[in-house]
Amino acid sequence: MSENIKHECAVAFLRLRKSREYFASKYSTPDYALEKMTILLEKQHNRGQDGAGIAALHLAPEPGSAAYNIEKSAAGNPLNDLLKKVSFHKAEFQGELLLGHLRYATFGRNDIHCCYPFVHENSCLERVLLLAGNFNLTDNRKLLENLVNSGHHPAYSSDGYLLLQTIAHYLEREVNIHGDSPDYAKILRKALDELDGAFTLCGITGNGDAFAIRDPHGIRPGYYYMDEEVIAVASERSAIQAAFNCSSAEVHELPPGKALIISKSGNVEFADCLTPRERRSCVFERIYFSRANDGDIHRERRKLGAALVPAVLEAVKNDFRNTFFSYIPNSAQVAFHGLLSELCCIAAKQNQTLRFGQIAVKDAKFRTFITDPAHRKSIYQHVYDVTYGLVHPGSDNLVVLDDSIVRGNTMRNAILPMLDRLDPARIIVASSAPPVKYPDCYGIDMATAGELIAFQALISCLKKRSQTNLLDQAYRAAKQELASGKCRINCMKILYDAVPNEELCREVARLLKPEGLKAELKVVYQNCENLQKCLPDHTGDWYFTGNYPTAGGIKVANQALVDFVEHVNKRAY
């Protein structure tokens, strides 16, 4: 991915199963839990750019003292700032339960009030709730209305706040103040079963009960680890492995729709909670966002690279002699290894020499705060350094592998002009993902329809075909779907079905080509059939197919189409 996308938060939860004295004695530190939480957050740092928070809860606190302590940051480097703050008063974070969060905001304010964990206060510890998660919902209005109808006056309308208050509402109704543990599966079922969206949530009550739960489609990732000393939950498996030096087999996926419930006494159970749904784990999560030091993700990305070989060789007309293969750092590197491995086998069979290397290096020290767009565009071209002397000027095909192309702005304004300085005859951009055609609403921000380069190419193709009447037809159908309140048909598909994929890809290349580019430009995409073969256990491919797992997703797509048409019409007048 040569451009930033967002939003993909991370959550981390830790429960000590032994006394704090046990850990202080065995590991010679009273800060064992905090050290492990630090690792869990640091190893998911790519998911947190806007905010970070840690809460520590103490079992059986003395009356008159705080049951929990919490610290948050929305500084420029929020995790570093957070850990620095916590280090000044470590004793307050020597609790038996810790809850951490990294925030990567799509919408809303980037300030400390938006940072998790969120807290629902109450003087009765059983009714205190701390909540953090990786989630995005499509039906905030429904949550808001439900709270109002139950007698509440919500102060905010963000999904995190509404989720917190909804769970707290059912918690307070179920809590038995005489000491019996409430039925958390029942509470979560009432609060979450009708939600439309994706989530992995972790919660702690003031008395030390805790839970973790994942949406019934399994869209957002979630993993857990248990041994005789700890229970841990995180958004990424490799983060848990790093923290506890355990194998992949010891870290398990949170079962979609089931609740992991940990009582204040330390008992653990998995409870059936949410209505079972078709499993639709997010594909883009695997292609790009999760770190590839997870063994399964590493193998999947290599397969994606290898699957591109036939299309890439067709684009260069099987000319190994005059082709140099590379990738755009850094997330595409593992897929490039898969591409390279397959190419090596073919080159060996054909007695050909394979030329490859790292052609583009992002200058991590390069910073610019220029606000003038014209000057910023010229500066973009120097964000990347190039390796000179590897590409033969005037004759070589230069193949660069990227993991996906979403908006195309960085590709057009920075990558391609930089590559053109090497004077290749042709530049072939190969994407390990299919064209990103549809917006997302479950966590990763894939922009509005009009910002997607594939959608821009679609509209351009329809104009060239004199089929803009289809846009009006799809717009009217989308308006009807939205008015019905039961979105079942993704009307954007009407448009994509009218344009062959090869034609769409050619138009993407034309739109990506910056003014003055000397090299011929081609774009090669992964197809959806290969995607399914490479990631058979992860079918959440709505970005590419428009097959959303929930009605809320279809609604978002239809609304995106309506917004695009109405905005275009408004500009026309």
Side-chain angles (χ1 to χ4, degrees):
M1 171 64 64
S2 52
E3 57 193 307
N4 289 328
I5 61 169
K6 49 185 183 177
H7 124 115
E8 186 65 354
C9 300
V11 66
F13 164 81
L14 180 62
R15 168 64 149 91
L16 300 182
R17 305 186 81 177
K18 304 282 188 179
S19 68
R20 282 182 282 167
E21 292 74 21
Y22 167 90
F23 290 96
S25 174
K26 181 174 180 178
Y27 297 102
S28 302
T29 174
D31 302 319
Y32 175 85
L34 183 58
E35 290 174 1
K36 296 300 182 185
M37 176 56 65
T38 298
I39 296 172
L40 289 172
L41 292 177
E42 285 282 13
K43 293 300 181 181
Q44 301 180 100
H45 195 179
N46 60 310
R47 297 171 178 267
Q49 307 298 325
D50 301 310
I54 295 178
L57 187 131
H58 316 279
L59 293 175
E62 290 291 328
S65 64
Y68 68 89
N69 294 93
I70 191 166
E71 190 65 76
K72 302 179 183 182
S73 175
N77 191 328
L79 182 56
N80 283 359
D81 183 60
L82 172 71
L83 296 177
K84 187 182 296 184
K85 288 179 178 179
V86 170
S87 69
F88 290 139
H89 41 91
K90 286 184 178 181
E92 296 178 4
F93 287 84
Q94 293 171 358
E96 289 86 356
L97 293 93
L98 272 72
L99 182 59
H101 188 264
L102 297 167
R103 182 173 187 264
Y104 203 155
T106 303
F107 307 108
R109 306 186 313 275
N110 294 339
D111 63 43
I112 201 164
H113 301 292
C114 299
C115 295
Y116 297 81
F118 281 0
V119 183
H120 175 80
E121 297 280 9
N122 197 295
S123 58
C124 173
L125 290 181
E126 288 84 353
R127 300 181 182 185
V128 173
L129 178 63
L130 291 79
L131 187 72
N134 172 11
F135 58 91
N136 201 45
L137 306 179
T138 69
D139 56 355
N140 288 12
R141 173 58 58 180
K142 184 176 180 180
L143 275 177
L144 183 69
E145 291 173 353
N146 288 346
L147 282 170
V148 171
N149 293 337
S150 61
H152 294 267
H153 177 76
Y156 306 98
S157 59
S158 66
D159 52 6
Y161 172 82
L162 295 174
L163 261 181
L164 173 76
Q165 299 304 330
T166 298
I167 297 172
H169 167 72
Y170 289 106
L171 174 65
E172 292 189 340
R173 289 178 58 178
E174 293 293 326
V175 163
N176 184 330
I177 62 173
H178 297 295
D180 294 339
S181 182
D183 185 344
Y184 285 100
K186 181 180 179 181
I187 292 168
L188 294 171
R189 187 179 305 114
K190 287 183 175 180
L192 307 176
D193 198 34
E194 294 185 2
L195 288 187
D196 192 301
F199 53 85
T200 294
L201 300 173
C202 292
I204 302 173
T205 61
N207 69 331
D209 292 335
F211 63 83
I213 188 167
R214 192 174 169 206
D215 66 82
H217 287 286
I219 297 172
R220 294 270 64 82
Y223 297 87
Y224 72 94
Y225 168 75
M226 274 189 259
D227 61 22
E228 62 181 11
E229 294 183 340
V230 300
I231 302 168
V233 174
S235 295
E236 295 194 42
R237 177 166 58 184
S238 57
I240 296 176
Q241 288 183 251
F244 298 100
N245 192 28
C246 56
S247 67
S248 297
E250 294 175 286
V251 184
H252 307 280
E253 272 195 275
L254 282 173
K258 290 184 180 290
L260 168 60
I261 299 170
I262 308 162
S263 71
K264 59 185 176 183
S265 61
N267 293 327
V268 179
E269 68 168 315
F270 280 95
D272 291 329
C273 190
L274 306 181
T275 303
R277 312 280 186 190
E278 178 190 6
R279 185 182 175 91
R280 296 293 303 278
S281 301
C282 176
V283 165
F284 208 83
E285 177 82 34
R286 314 290 289 189
I287 293 173
Y288 171 66
F289 226 104
S290 293
R291 296 191 186 198
N293 60 342
D294 179 290
D296 288 344
I297 294 171
H298 187 97
R299 285 184 284 271
E300 290 163 1
R301 292 188 187 175
R302 283 183 65 96
K303 288 179 181 178
L304 287 167
L308 274 173
V309 166
V312 168
L313 288 181
E314 182 181 351
V316 300
K317 299 179 181 178
N318 209 49
D319 185 0
F320 279 92
R321 182 178 180 180
N322 295 304
T323 301
F324 190 89
F325 297 92
S326 191
Y327 63 95
I328 301 171
N330 284 324
S331 55
Q333 186 177 39
V334 175
F336 180 69
H337 291 165
L339 177 84
L340 202 59
S341 179
E342 188 71 13
L343 286 170
C344 283
C345 295
I346 296 172
K349 290 177 181 178
Q350 298 181 7
N351 197 28
Q352 299 277 4
T353 299
L354 185 65
R355 297 163 52 216
F356 62 91
Q358 187 174 12
I359 208 74
V361 182
K362 194 168 187 178
D363 189 344
K365 300 182 293 296
F366 198 98
R367 295 290 183 269
T368 177
F369 299 96
I370 295 175
T371 57
D372 178 62
H375 289 153
R376 190 190 309 124
K377 186 174 180 179
S378 65
I379 290 294
Y380 274 165
Q381 300 180 22
H382 299 280
V383 173
Y384 286 86
D385 290 328
V386 290
T387 306
Y388 293 94
L390 299 179
V391 174
H392 299 158
S395 60
D396 264 354
N397 302 304
L398 174 56
V399 175
V400 286
L401 176 66
D402 199 352
D403 39 27
S404 69
I405 306 170
V406 181
R407 300 171 183 86
N409 294 331
T410 305
M411 180 67 68
R412 183 190 301 110
N413 297 324
I415 302 295
L416 290 173
M418 174 267 297
L419 296 177
D420 202 43
R421 298 205 300 267
L422 301 175
D423 196 26
R426 293 168 204 83
I427 298 172
I428 294 93
V429 178
S431 169
S432 69
V436 178
K437 299 177 177 180
Y438 300 90
D440 179 56
C441 58
Y442 301 120
I444 298 175
D445 176 20
M446 287 301 188
T448 59
E451 292 181 283
L452 300 175
I453 189 68
F455 188 81
Q456 295 171 24
L458 171 68
I459 299 303
S460 180
C461 287
L462 291 175
K463 289 178 180 177
K464 289 180 177 181
R465 288 165 153 259
S466 299
Q467 289 183 302
T468 51
N469 61 304
L470 282 179
L471 183 59
D472 184 63
Q473 177 185 331
Y475 165 73
R476 293 181 184 279
K479 290 278 283 187
Q480 290 177 359
E481 282 286 303
L482 292 168
S484 73
K486 297 179 180 179
C487 284
R488 295 171 180 167
I489 300 172
N490 180 352
C491 299
M492 288 180 72
K493 286 188 175 186
I494 297 172
L495 305 178
Y496 282 110
D497 288 345
V499 178
N501 207 53
E502 296 78 9
E503 183 179 339
L504 185 74
C505 294
R506 287 196 299 270
E507 190 62 16
V508 167
R510 190 188 70 81
L511 294 178
L512 281 178
K513 188 172 183 176
E515 184 179 353
L517 191 79
K518 300 187 297 294
E520 178 187 345
L521 178 63
K522 292 184 179 181
V523 176
V524 173
Y525 280 106
Q526 190 77 262
N527 61 53
C528 290
E529 291 75 19
N530 282 340
L531 184 72
Q532 292 167 2
K533 291 176 183 177
C534 296
L535 291 85
D537 298 325
H538 302 273
T539 60
D541 59 0
W542 51 88
Y543 312 92
F544 320 116
T545 64
N547 297 328
Y548 293 88
T550 73
I554 299 172
K555 178 181 177 182
V556 166
N558 287 333
Q559 188 64 58
L561 177 58
V562 168
D563 290 344
F564 171 79
V565 173
E566 292 182 350
H567 179 63
V568 169
N569 288 344
K570 188 181 295 183
R571 285 186 301 172
Y573 295 101

